Amino acid sequence: PASGSALAPTPHDLLIVSLASELAWTARTVLRDGGLPDDVSVAAEWRTQDDPPRLAEIDLTVLVPRGAAGVSTALTDAFETSLAARTLDAPTLNISLEGASR
């Protein structure tokens, strides 16, 4: 994490990693079910708000292998019903999919 904490991840870092991990596992499951390679990575960016101090917005990008276009609808549906998408009303959580159409 790039939070600047030298001793350990912050609570925000741990929350973001948890959400990213859940999306990675979801994507791997959908890809495996579709008979595709399950090499997945998730990138995360987030912004905070100062008053009151809290997360303001989270952007998670899931990168899947080339050739996953056939399961892109299943991936999108799975992400929309994921714990990450269902859990947070605030901050705003944006989930995007990359690589499926290559």
Side-chain angles (χ1 to χ4, degrees):
S3 64
S5 177
L7 299 177
T10 67
H12 286 165
D13 295 337
L14 294 173
L15 173 65
I16 303 303
V17 168
S18 296
L19 296 172
S21 174
E22 193 248 347
L23 291 178
W25 280 105
T26 299
R28 291 183 74 185
T29 300
V30 171
L31 291 167
R32 284 182 191 157
D33 289 349
L36 298 167
D38 65 354
D39 297 327
V40 173
S41 64
V42 180
E45 293 184 21
W46 64 94
R47 285 158 288 295
T48 58
Q49 173 181 310
D50 290 333
D51 190 21
R54 65 180 178 100
L55 287 169
E57 187 170 6
I58 302 167
D59 294 318
L60 297 170
T61 301
V62 182
L63 182 60
V64 297
R66 295 176 186 258
V71 295
S72 61
T73 299
L75 284 166
T76 301
D77 291 346
F79 294 155
E80 288 176 358
T81 60
S82 69
L83 179 65
R86 289 183 288 118
T87 302
L88 302 174
D89 289 331
T92 300
L93 176 63
N94 304 304
I95 303 169
S96 60
L97 174 64
E98 290 186 6
S101 61
R102 293 193 236 166

